Amino acid sequence: MISLHGLTKVFPGGVRALDAIDLTVADGEFFALLGPSGCGKTTLLRTIAGLEIPTSGNIRINEADVTRLPPGRRDVAMVFQDYAIFPHMDVTDNIAYPLRIRKVPRAERVRKAAEVARRLSLADLLHRRPAQLSGGQQQRVALARAIACHPAAFLFDEPLSNLDARLRLEARTFLKRLQRELAVTTVFVTHDQAEALALADRIAVMSAGRMVQIGTPAEIFQRPSTTFVASFIGSTPMNLLPGTSTRGALHVAGAVRAAPAGLGEGDEIVYGVRPEYMGLSETERQDGIPGTVAVLENLGTGVLVTLESGDHLVQAVVPEGSEPALGVRRWAVPARSLVYRDGALLA
Ligand code: ADP
Ligand code: MG
């Protein structure tokens, strides 16, 4: 288990990379840290690993306060984006490196490296150097090295981002299976929302050094707590349309919808609808957003239809073959919607 209390990191020069972070990652959990570039993901991971000293706050790993311990005494293994394996060592020595640091005898190191290599399908490559390996194999060597010393936790900093698209999907499935088998607490950093949704038991969405939302992939996908999270999650971005409430109704881009409780007269809101939950009506409806079909994109799993509605673009995903023709008029009718006020989820 990893728990962070009030963790803050201010770099010299004043950048507040971490701002009073409270977080508990459960024993054996696969936890993803998701957020845009520069939001503090790497700093958070490096602080847990002991490579950065926090300005304030503390870090516990399995109940022990490790805030003041050097990296080597924290019992965590970190895998970096660029793998950071040694070019002059063969696969065996790379995997066994952390065991050498711990003064494990050579015969035992070689045996252990071979065992871990088998598990990661590297058994035939033990005598190769990194330059003789593919990107995917190098990445598995980095993983093998992390596993070799049985750490209490894995810390992964975008470990798949240097792989091409197909390898990346393979590595993702592989990593998930491995983490399940080993049941080691894992913090996985990514800026890729699809990766976080696919891998994690829970996700924390970060922005500017803070946790904006923590929840299961389903919770974060279905009910993003802010418009920032809503715009960040989903393979097609959520429709976020400005609207106003008057006399119990919401007025959104030419449509009139029922207003949720708690809205006052004249409140400005943002109306959120996932393109997957947006239907298209051929006939005029008062609760539909009128628009003209401007773009059609085949996603493979359906067609993304973009309507132009005044100053706004409204998107819907429909099954292939049922998409309207370019230029025709349609009314976008949400099947499920969320209402945000001042950027925060209201209903
Ligand atoms: P991420 O991994 O989410 O892209 P980082 O943790 O690398 O973000 O960076 C968070 C913020 O801290 C950024 O504004 C970055 O410029 C700043 N930062 C990171 N490392 C340092 C450093 N060593 N010195 C000064 N500022 C830093
Ligand atoms: Mg980073």
Side-chain angles (χ1 to χ4, degrees), residues 11-12 15-17 35-44 52 157-158 189:
F11 282 111
V15 176
R16 189 171 287 264
S37 180
C39 73
K41 304 181 297 296
T42 294
T43 304
L44 183 55
E52 301 284 356
D157 194 1
E158 313 218 15
V189 161

Side-chain angles (χ1 to χ4, degrees), residues 125-153:
L125 308 172
L126 284 167
H127 301 298
R128 293 213 194 158
R129 300 247 171 130
Q132 301 166 291
L133 300 173
S134 70
Q137 289 164 343
Q138 290 182 33
Q139 199 264 342
R140 292 210 300 280
V141 173
L143 276 181
R145 187 175 57 189
I147 291 166
C149 50
H150 287 295

Side-chain angles (χ1 to χ4, degrees), residues 281-303:
S281 165
E282 291 180 19
T283 50
E284 180 166 2
R285 291 173 54 151
Q286 207 199 9
D287 63 351
I289 301 164
T292 305
V293 178
V295 185
L296 296 172
E297 291 165 76
N298 198 321
L299 305 175
T301 49
V303 177

Side-chain angles (χ1 to χ4, degrees), residues 42-313:
T42 294
T43 304
L44 183 55
L45 221 54
R46 286 174 55 83
T47 308
I48 297 171
L51 302 170
E52 301 284 356
I53 303 300
T55 308
S56 58
N58 63 64
I59 303 165
R60 291 174 168 273
I61 298 176
N62 291 338
E63 298 305 321
D65 190 327
V66 301
T67 317
R68 305 282 154 224
L69 286 187
R73 292 187 49 208
R74 294 193 180 197
D75 197 18
V76 297
M78 188 153 167
V79 176
F80 300 89
Q81 180 172 353
D82 58 3
Y83 326 137
I85 55 179
F86 301 112
H88 59 285
M89 290 184 193
D90 68 9
V91 168
T92 298
D93 287 346
N94 260 293
I95 297 175
Y97 182 76
L99 302 171
R100 199 173 100 198
I101 298 294
R102 285 165 199 218
K103 312 240 185 304
V104 174
R106 165 123 193 119
E108 170 68 13
R109 289 197 318 253
V110 170
R111 195 190 59 71
K112 184 75 199 170
E115 181 190 313
V116 176
R118 205 161 37 243
R119 175 163 237 157
L120 298 197
S121 311
L122 294 167
D124 298 334
L125 308 172
L126 284 167
H127 301 298
R128 293 213 194 158
R129 300 247 171 130
Q132 301 166 291
L133 300 173
S134 70
Q137 289 164 343
Q138 290 182 33
Q139 199 264 342
R140 292 210 300 280
V141 173
L143 276 181
R145 187 175 57 189
I147 291 166
C149 50
H150 287 295
F154 291 137
L155 306 174
F156 290 127
D157 194 1
E158 313 218 15
L160 309 184
S161 60
N162 284 344
L163 303 178
D164 68 40
R166 192 184 57 84
L167 259 183
R168 193 173 169 147
L169 282 181
E170 272 177 34
R172 181 160 110 186
T173 307
F174 179 84
L175 191 67
K176 173 116 182 171
R177 207 184 70 205
L178 187 71
Q179 199 270 344
R180 283 282 173 273
E181 280 172 22
L182 302 173
V184 175
T185 308
T186 298
V187 182
F188 182 95
V189 161
T190 181
H191 64 271
D192 178 346
Q193 56 84 32
E195 207 162 88
L197 290 172
L199 281 170
D201 297 316
R202 282 191 306 153
I203 297 172
V205 182
M206 279 185 84
S207 170
R210 288 170 168 269
M211 301 295 179
V212 185
Q213 184 173 12
I214 299 174
T216 63
E219 284 163 1
I220 295 210
F221 186 81
Q222 302 291 350
R223 295 186 64 77
S225 65
T226 69
T227 49
F228 168 79
V229 178
S231 64
F232 203 73
I233 294 274
S235 49
T236 52
M238 192 186 277
N239 292 290
L240 293 170
L241 301 161
T244 317
S245 67
T246 44
R247 275 168 301 203
L250 285 182
H251 299 263
V252 180
V256 182
R257 310 278 305 177
L263 277 183
E265 188 67 16
D267 276 357
E268 307 278 326
I269 58 103
V270 169
Y271 194 68
V273 185
R274 289 235 173 265
E276 295 85 352
Y277 298 140
M278 191 71 98
L280 295 178
S281 165
E282 291 180 19
T283 50
E284 180 166 2
R285 291 173 54 151
Q286 207 199 9
D287 63 351
I289 301 164
T292 305
V293 178
V295 185
L296 296 172
E297 291 165 76
N298 198 321
L299 305 175
T301 49
V303 177
L304 180 65
V305 180
T306 301
L307 297 184
E308 233 168 44
S309 175
D311 291 341
H312 305 297
L313 296 178

